[in-house]
Short mmCIF file of all heavy atoms in Angstrom, two decimals:
data_model
loop_
_atom_site.label_atom_id
_atom_site.label_comp_id
_atom_site.label_asym_id
_atom_site.label_seq_id
_atom_site.Cartn_x
_atom_site.Cartn_y
_atom_site.Cartn_z
N HIS A 1312 31.96 27.56 -8.12
CA HIS A 1312 33.29 27.98 -7.67
C HIS A 1312 34.37 27.02 -8.19
O HIS A 1312 35.51 27.40 -8.50
CB HIS A 1312 33.37 28.10 -6.12
CG HIS A 1312 33.62 26.82 -5.38
ND1 HIS A 1312 32.57 25.93 -5.19
CD2 HIS A 1312 34.73 26.32 -4.80
CE1 HIS A 1312 33.04 24.88 -4.52
NE2 HIS A 1312 34.35 25.14 -4.21
N ASP A 1313 34.04 25.72 -8.30
CA ASP A 1313 35.01 24.70 -8.71
C ASP A 1313 34.68 24.16 -10.14
O ASP A 1313 35.20 23.07 -10.50
CB ASP A 1313 35.11 23.54 -7.75
CG ASP A 1313 36.26 23.73 -6.79
OD1 ASP A 1313 37.04 24.65 -6.95
OD2 ASP A 1313 36.35 22.93 -5.84
N ARG A 1316 37.39 22.62 -12.21
CA ARG A 1316 38.00 21.34 -11.72
C ARG A 1316 37.81 20.19 -12.70
O ARG A 1316 38.69 19.33 -12.79
CB ARG A 1316 37.46 20.90 -10.38
CG ARG A 1316 37.94 21.75 -9.20
CD ARG A 1316 39.39 21.66 -9.09
NE ARG A 1316 39.91 22.17 -7.80
CZ ARG A 1316 41.23 22.37 -7.55
NH1 ARG A 1316 42.13 22.09 -8.45
NH2 ARG A 1316 41.59 22.79 -6.37
N HIS A 1334 42.42 26.70 -11.74
CA HIS A 1334 41.06 26.15 -12.05
C HIS A 1334 39.99 27.25 -11.90
O HIS A 1334 38.85 27.05 -12.46
CB HIS A 1334 40.79 24.95 -11.18
CG HIS A 1334 40.55 25.24 -9.72
ND1 HIS A 1334 41.57 25.43 -8.83
CD2 HIS A 1334 39.40 25.43 -9.01
CE1 HIS A 1334 41.03 25.65 -7.61
NE2 HIS A 1334 39.77 25.66 -7.70
N HIS A 1366 38.20 32.79 -5.25
CA HIS A 1366 37.97 31.79 -4.25
C HIS A 1366 39.26 31.02 -3.86
O HIS A 1366 39.37 30.56 -2.74
CB HIS A 1366 36.84 30.82 -4.67
CG HIS A 1366 37.28 29.61 -5.41
ND1 HIS A 1366 37.37 29.55 -6.73
CD2 HIS A 1366 37.65 28.39 -4.92
CE1 HIS A 1366 37.81 28.32 -7.07
NE2 HIS A 1366 37.95 27.61 -5.96
N ASN A 1367 40.19 30.92 -4.74
CA ASN A 1367 41.36 30.09 -4.51
C ASN A 1367 42.66 30.85 -4.43
O ASN A 1367 43.73 30.29 -4.51
CB ASN A 1367 41.49 29.03 -5.61
CG ASN A 1367 41.77 29.61 -6.95
OD1 ASN A 1367 41.51 30.77 -7.24
ND2 ASN A 1367 42.38 28.83 -7.89
N ASP A 1390 34.07 27.07 1.38
CA ASP A 1390 35.00 26.07 0.75
C ASP A 1390 35.94 25.52 1.89
O ASP A 1390 36.09 24.29 1.89
CB ASP A 1390 35.83 26.92 -0.30
CG ASP A 1390 36.52 25.97 -1.31
OD1 ASP A 1390 36.09 24.78 -1.39
OD2 ASP A 1390 37.43 26.42 -1.99
FE1 LIG B 2489 38.37 25.53 -5.91
#
Side-chain angles (χ1 to χ4, degrees):
H1312 83 284
D1313 263 354
R1316 285 300 194 189
H1334 71 277
H1366 92 270
N1367 66 337
D1390 199 17

